[in-house]
Amino acid sequence: MCRYTKRKVGSASRRGNEEIKADRLHLKNVTFRQGDVGALPFADGAFDIVLSLNGFHAFPDKETAYREVFRVLKPGGTFCGCFYVRGEHKRTDWFVRHIYEKTGFFTPPYETTVSLKKRLEKRYAAVTLGTVKSMAWFVCRKAE
């Protein structure tokens, strides 16, 4: 198990390391940046795509995170990602409650597949959503 401490995340996100990481991955139009998902330091409509992999189940203020993602996404833009949803796999639900929450990796409350679909459909013009055991994946398009 790998533990992401503030020190580890901080050292991995220093400017020099960000540039090295982008170069190593041969990414010319990507910048790695650490920040607060509840107060994204970007203008409204700044991004064509917002990608969140395994993030929302860890965010302490999920509603603010959803609002910020929507805010920084351009009209017609795509929000996609995946994260844990409660109620799809009993063994994973047990592990989340008894291990991940106690170590601080996951923060309740958690979405269910139904609550996630309803939440995304309130904000986005088109939503595709599926699950693989306890992981939900989704692709959403913001209205033009």
Side-chain angles (χ1 to χ4, degrees):
M1 182 186 307
C2 180
R3 182 144 189 177
Y4 293 97
T5 64
K6 188 174 183 178
R7 192 183 102 231
K8 286 181 184 176
V9 172
S11 67
S13 67
R14 282 190 219 113
R15 180 133 179 86
N17 288 343
E18 292 169 350
E19 291 170 3
I20 292 168
K21 186 174 185 177
D23 287 344
R24 187 181 71 228
L25 296 171
H26 306 292
L27 302 172
K28 302 299 178 204
N29 62 345
V30 173
T31 301
F32 292 92
R33 203 180 268 186
Q34 180 184 348
D36 179 357
V37 71
L40 295 173
F42 304 105
D44 295 358
F47 296 97
D48 296 311
I49 298 172
V50 174
L51 173 65
S52 177
L53 300 176
N54 296 316
F56 272 80
H57 55 247
F59 301 151
D61 185 351
K62 294 165 179 60
E63 184 57 38
T64 300
Y66 284 115
R67 277 196 308 268
E68 280 293 279
V69 165
F70 188 82
R71 180 185 68 77
V72 300
L73 192 61
K74 288 180 181 177
T78 300
F79 172 39
C80 56
C82 64
F83 59 84
Y84 164 75
V85 288
R86 180 177 48 85
E88 295 293 322
H89 196 256
K90 287 181 182 181
R91 190 176 326 160
T92 303
D93 291 344
W94 183 94
F95 197 81
V96 165
R97 279 191 321 275
H98 294 92
I99 307 296
Y100 280 163
E101 282 181 19
K102 289 180 181 356
T103 60
F105 288 130
F106 285 44
T107 306
Y110 306 109
E111 297 280 6
T112 64
T113 303
V114 171
S115 71
L116 177 60
K117 187 165 179 60
K118 284 180 183 177
R119 178 186 299 278
L120 295 174
E121 287 176 340
K122 283 181 185 177
R123 284 198 163 95
Y124 295 94
V127 175
T128 303
L129 183 139
T131 59
V132 177
K133 294 189 179 180
S134 61
M135 293 299 290
W137 59 267
F138 56 90
V139 179
C140 308
R141 174 122 3 233
K142 187 175 181 178
E144 294 284 340

